[in-house]
PDB file of all heavy atoms in Angstrom:
ATOM      1  N   GLY A  54      -5.422  62.134  81.452  1.00  0.00           N
ATOM      2  CA  GLY A  54      -6.146  60.927  81.864  1.00  0.00           C
ATOM      3  C   GLY A  54      -6.522  60.030  80.688  1.00  0.00           C
ATOM      4  O   GLY A  54      -6.477  58.825  80.793  1.00  0.00           O
ATOM      5  N   MET A  55      -6.927  60.637  79.563  1.00  0.00           N
ATOM      6  CA  MET A  55      -7.352  59.872  78.425  1.00  0.00           C
ATOM      7  C   MET A  55      -6.196  59.028  77.852  1.00  0.00           C
ATOM      8  O   MET A  55      -6.360  57.835  77.619  1.00  0.00           O
ATOM      9  CB  MET A  55      -7.887  60.770  77.304  1.00  0.00           C
ATOM     10  CG  MET A  55      -8.343  60.070  76.066  1.00  0.00           C
ATOM     11  SD  MET A  55      -8.883  61.203  74.785  1.00  0.00           S
ATOM     12  CE  MET A  55      -7.381  61.971  74.314  1.00  0.00           C
ATOM     13  N   HIS A  56      -5.008  59.636  77.696  1.00  0.00           N
ATOM     14  CA  HIS A  56      -3.867  58.901  77.207  1.00  0.00           C
ATOM     15  C   HIS A  56      -3.373  57.865  78.229  1.00  0.00           C
ATOM     16  O   HIS A  56      -2.969  56.781  77.906  1.00  0.00           O
ATOM     17  CB  HIS A  56      -2.734  59.837  76.831  1.00  0.00           C
ATOM     18  CG  HIS A  56      -3.052  60.725  75.657  1.00  0.00           C
ATOM     19  ND1 HIS A  56      -3.530  60.250  74.460  1.00  0.00           N
ATOM     20  CD2 HIS A  56      -2.961  62.044  75.528  1.00  0.00           C
ATOM     21  CE1 HIS A  56      -3.705  61.251  73.614  1.00  0.00           C
ATOM     22  NE2 HIS A  56      -3.355  62.364  74.250  1.00  0.00           N
ATOM     23  N   PHE A  57      -3.463  58.269  79.514  1.00  0.00           N
ATOM     24  CA  PHE A  57      -3.001  57.318  80.543  1.00  0.00           C
ATOM     25  C   PHE A  57      -3.905  56.117  80.611  1.00  0.00           C
ATOM     26  O   PHE A  57      -3.460  54.977  80.841  1.00  0.00           O
ATOM     27  CB  PHE A  57      -2.907  58.003  81.897  1.00  0.00           C
ATOM     28  CG  PHE A  57      -2.194  57.175  82.902  1.00  0.00           C
ATOM     29  CD1 PHE A  57      -0.869  56.853  82.796  1.00  0.00           C
ATOM     30  CD2 PHE A  57      -2.874  56.701  84.029  1.00  0.00           C
ATOM     31  CE1 PHE A  57      -0.216  56.063  83.681  1.00  0.00           C
ATOM     32  CE2 PHE A  57      -2.224  55.929  84.979  1.00  0.00           C
ATOM     33  CZ  PHE A  57      -0.896  55.587  84.810  1.00  0.00           C
ATOM     34  N   GLN A  58      -5.205  56.316  80.408  1.00  0.00           N
ATOM     35  CA  GLN A  58      -6.138  55.191  80.348  1.00  0.00           C
ATOM     36  C   GLN A  58      -5.773  54.239  79.207  1.00  0.00           C
ATOM     37  O   GLN A  58      -5.763  53.035  79.395  1.00  0.00           O
ATOM     38  CB  GLN A  58      -7.589  55.696  80.153  1.00  0.00           C
ATOM     39  CG  GLN A  58      -8.615  54.544  80.148  1.00  0.00           C
ATOM     40  CD  GLN A  58      -8.725  53.849  81.513  1.00  0.00           C
ATOM     41  OE1 GLN A  58      -9.075  54.527  82.503  1.00  0.00           O
ATOM     42  NE2 GLN A  58      -8.526  52.558  81.579  1.00  0.00           N
ATOM     43  N   SER A  59      -5.437  54.798  78.057  1.00  0.00           N
ATOM     44  CA  SER A  59      -4.976  53.976  76.911  1.00  0.00           C
ATOM     45  C   SER A  59      -3.764  53.147  77.285  1.00  0.00           C
ATOM     46  O   SER A  59      -3.597  51.988  76.943  1.00  0.00           O
ATOM     47  CB  SER A  59      -4.679  54.823  75.733  1.00  0.00           C
ATOM     48  OG  SER A  59      -5.822  55.481  75.265  1.00  0.00           O
ATOM     49  N   PHE A  60      -2.840  53.819  78.033  1.00  0.00           N
ATOM     50  CA  PHE A  60      -1.623  53.137  78.409  1.00  0.00           C
ATOM     51  C   PHE A  60      -1.880  52.007  79.441  1.00  0.00           C
ATOM     52  O   PHE A  60      -1.358  50.902  79.231  1.00  0.00           O
ATOM     53  CB  PHE A  60      -0.616  54.151  79.001  1.00  0.00           C
ATOM     54  CG  PHE A  60       0.662  53.498  79.469  1.00  0.00           C
ATOM     55  CD1 PHE A  60       1.534  52.942  78.553  1.00  0.00           C
ATOM     56  CD2 PHE A  60       0.943  53.412  80.822  1.00  0.00           C
ATOM     57  CE1 PHE A  60       2.696  52.327  78.980  1.00  0.00           C
ATOM     58  CE2 PHE A  60       2.131  52.790  81.245  1.00  0.00           C
ATOM     59  CZ  PHE A  60       3.003  52.255  80.316  1.00  0.00           C
ATOM     60  N   ILE A  61      -2.680  52.253  80.459  1.00  0.00           N
ATOM     61  CA  ILE A  61      -2.925  51.159  81.425  1.00  0.00           C
ATOM     62  C   ILE A  61      -3.711  50.031  80.786  1.00  0.00           C
ATOM     63  O   ILE A  61      -3.499  48.891  81.134  1.00  0.00           O
ATOM     64  CB  ILE A  61      -3.584  51.656  82.768  1.00  0.00           C
ATOM     65  CG1 ILE A  61      -4.919  52.316  82.515  1.00  0.00           C
ATOM     66  CG2 ILE A  61      -2.642  52.572  83.523  1.00  0.00           C
ATOM     67  CD1 ILE A  61      -5.606  52.716  83.821  1.00  0.00           C
ATOM     68  N   ASP A  62      -4.555  50.312  79.809  1.00  0.00           N
ATOM     69  CA  ASP A  62      -5.234  49.238  79.074  1.00  0.00           C
ATOM     70  C   ASP A  62      -4.231  48.429  78.284  1.00  0.00           C
ATOM     71  O   ASP A  62      -4.318  47.209  78.255  1.00  0.00           O
ATOM     72  CB  ASP A  62      -6.301  49.844  78.154  1.00  0.00           C
ATOM     73  CG  ASP A  62      -7.502  50.424  78.893  1.00  0.00           C
ATOM     74  OD1 ASP A  62      -7.680  50.125  80.111  1.00  0.00           O
ATOM     75  OD2 ASP A  62      -8.235  51.241  78.293  1.00  0.00           O
ATOM     76  N   ALA A  63      -3.236  49.086  77.660  1.00  0.00           N
ATOM     77  CA  ALA A  63      -2.188  48.397  76.933  1.00  0.00           C
ATOM     78  C   ALA A  63      -1.344  47.530  77.862  1.00  0.00           C
ATOM     79  O   ALA A  63      -0.996  46.386  77.527  1.00  0.00           O
ATOM     80  CB  ALA A  63      -1.310  49.402  76.172  1.00  0.00           C
ATOM     81  N   VAL A  64      -1.034  48.047  79.032  1.00  0.00           N
ATOM     82  CA  VAL A  64      -0.220  47.285  80.006  1.00  0.00           C
ATOM     83  C   VAL A  64      -1.056  46.075  80.461  1.00  0.00           C
ATOM     84  O   VAL A  64      -0.491  44.939  80.520  1.00  0.00           O
ATOM     85  CB  VAL A  64       0.161  48.159  81.235  1.00  0.00           C
ATOM     86  CG1 VAL A  64       0.760  47.305  82.345  1.00  0.00           C
ATOM     87  CG2 VAL A  64       1.110  49.262  80.833  1.00  0.00           C
ATOM     88  N   SER A  65      -2.316  46.250  80.733  1.00  0.00           N
ATOM     89  CA  SER A  65      -3.158  45.126  81.183  1.00  0.00           C
ATOM     90  C   SER A  65      -3.231  44.039  80.112  1.00  0.00           C
ATOM     91  O   SER A  65      -3.118  42.872  80.413  1.00  0.00           O
ATOM     92  CB  SER A  65      -4.561  45.671  81.485  1.00  0.00           C
ATOM     93  OG  SER A  65      -5.445  44.653  81.795  1.00  0.00           O
TER      94      SER A  65
END
Side-chain angles (χ1 to χ4, degrees):
M55 180 181 69
H56 293 309
F57 192 64
Q58 182 68 58
S59 297
F60 178 68
I61 61 176
D62 291 342
V64 171
S65 176

